[in-house]
Amino acid sequence: MLKTLLHVNEDLASSIALRYTAYLHKFVPLSLYISHVEIADKKEQVGTGWVRHTWEDGVASNGKRLIERMLRTENIDCPLAGRPTVFVGDKDKEVAYELRNGLYDLFIEGCPNSLDPDQFHELISSPLYKAAPCPMLVVKNLSINKKCAFLCADSVEAKVLVEKSMAILADSTFDFDLVHFKINENEELVTLANEDGGGCLPEAEALLTRYGKSVDKALVLSGTAEQAGDYLKEYALVISILPTGKGLPMDILAHCPASILMVH
């Protein structure tokens, strides 16, 4: 089972992430842990030593009650491997430390689908995502589907994309497609010959075959990032290399309403 850390807040994005994680558990057995970070207002922080520890314990207790209430409300069909953990401090620092210290295989968090491209870029470029020692799954939507899409592009190294994602999905029962996008200001999305996708598609398919996975569909599409994102909306999961800056992969993922597994 994959040791998985799901970070939650008491909001709609986390509610969707909880339900999506329970659905994912049907395809990929998860050993699920829950975390939450209470980000207290600096004006509320008091003292040092035992005074500060007492204050932090109080803040953490409030956060724990909040998360336990949320879990009771959601009542997800995925057993927890331990009690929820609540930290007080900076979210990126606390979660990154927990991921390293706990030797997790996967990190999951909810992301509002209403984020504009700049906000999504800020999330993916955060210190947490840069420092995360494992693949990261951003849940945007509760897509009930058995199909996943590998996002290929000229800049994508197929070996990293497939091998790192198979560390998560090798034992899953998902079906897989390969989709290579080329940006072009077309009025509509255009299907190109597979040869126009270069070596990424055949290499990725060959690597998946070694893992005992078959590819249902491999295609090359040309259009805008918005059109690409819209094409991917029906997939349960879109698998991508973690973008390192603004560019084609980042733009497509920003416009993609499906949940995204990022490897690096």
Side-chain angles (χ1 to χ4, degrees):
M1 299 180 79
L2 293 173
K3 188 175 183 181
T4 302
L5 182 67
L6 170 61
H7 177 75
V8 299
N9 296 307
E10 195 177 32
D11 56 24
L12 178 60
S14 292
S15 175
I16 293 173
L18 277 164
R19 283 178 274 162
Y20 181 88
T21 301
Y23 179 71
L24 181 66
H25 180 61
K26 298 177 181 179
F27 296 89
V28 184
L30 305 175
S31 178
L32 183 61
Y33 295 81
I34 302 288
S35 76
H36 168 71
V37 177
E38 280 289 302
I39 306 173
D41 191 324
K42 289 185 178 180
K43 295 179 181 178
E44 299 176 1
Q45 297 180 14
V46 294
T48 58
W50 71 268
V51 174
R52 182 174 180 84
H53 287 307
T54 301
W55 170 79
E56 287 185 349
D57 287 344
V59 173
S61 295
N62 288 334
K64 186 167 292 187
R65 284 193 293 270
L66 177 152
I67 296 307
E68 288 178 345
R69 180 178 66 206
M70 183 181 185
L71 292 174
R72 286 195 302 271
T73 301
E74 295 296 337
N75 191 28
I76 62 170
D77 187 19
C78 181
L80 301 185
R83 294 177 63 84
T85 304
V86 177
F87 304 97
V88 179
D90 177 80
K91 176 215 170 183
D92 286 357
K93 290 181 180 179
E94 297 295 340
V95 175
Y97 176 81
E98 176 65 13
L99 288 173
R100 290 192 302 269
N101 191 53
L103 301 176
Y104 290 90
D105 301 305
L106 177 65
F107 172 67
I108 304 176
E109 73 170 330
C111 168
N113 200 25
S114 58
L115 289 186
D116 64 34
D118 287 339
Q119 290 173 313
F120 183 81
H121 175 265
E122 184 178 350
L123 172 69
I124 303 305
S125 302
S126 67
L128 170 58
Y129 281 75
K130 289 181 177 179
C134 60
M136 294 141 288
L137 172 54
V138 172
V139 178
K140 289 188 173 186
N141 222 326
L142 187 59
S143 300
I144 307 300
N145 199 308
K146 290 182 63 177
K147 294 186 73 66
C148 297
F150 283 89
L151 182 60
C152 300
D154 293 336
S155 59
V156 170
E157 187 178 345
K159 183 177 176 65
V160 174
L161 178 66
V162 173
E163 291 187 352
K164 292 296 182 70
S165 61
M166 283 297 104
I168 304 298
L169 301 173
D171 295 328
S172 77
T173 55
F174 280 118
D175 298 323
F176 298 104
D177 287 348
L178 295 173
V179 186
H180 185 114
F181 281 109
K182 289 180 173 291
I183 285 295
N184 205 327
E185 293 299 324
N186 301 325
E187 292 185 1
E188 59 183 24
L189 206 59
V190 176
T191 302
L192 304 177
N194 279 14
E195 291 75 15
D196 292 326
C200 188
L201 282 181
E203 185 179 355
E205 186 165 6
L207 288 166
L208 283 168
T209 301
R210 294 180 195 173
Y211 283 94
K213 305 295 182 183
S214 60
V215 174
D216 290 348
K217 181 169 58 178
L219 70 165
V220 179
L221 299 175
S222 174
T224 65
E226 292 88 342
Q227 291 167 338
D230 186 64
Y231 178 87
L232 296 166
K233 66 183 179 183
E234 300 299 331
Y235 285 99
L237 194 61
V238 173
I239 305 155
S240 170
I241 297 290
L242 175 68
T244 56
K246 291 185 177 180
L248 173 58
M250 180 72 79
D251 289 343
I252 291 176
L253 296 180
H255 287 95
C256 174
S259 297
I260 302 162
L261 175 66
M262 289 169 288
V263 299
H264 59 109

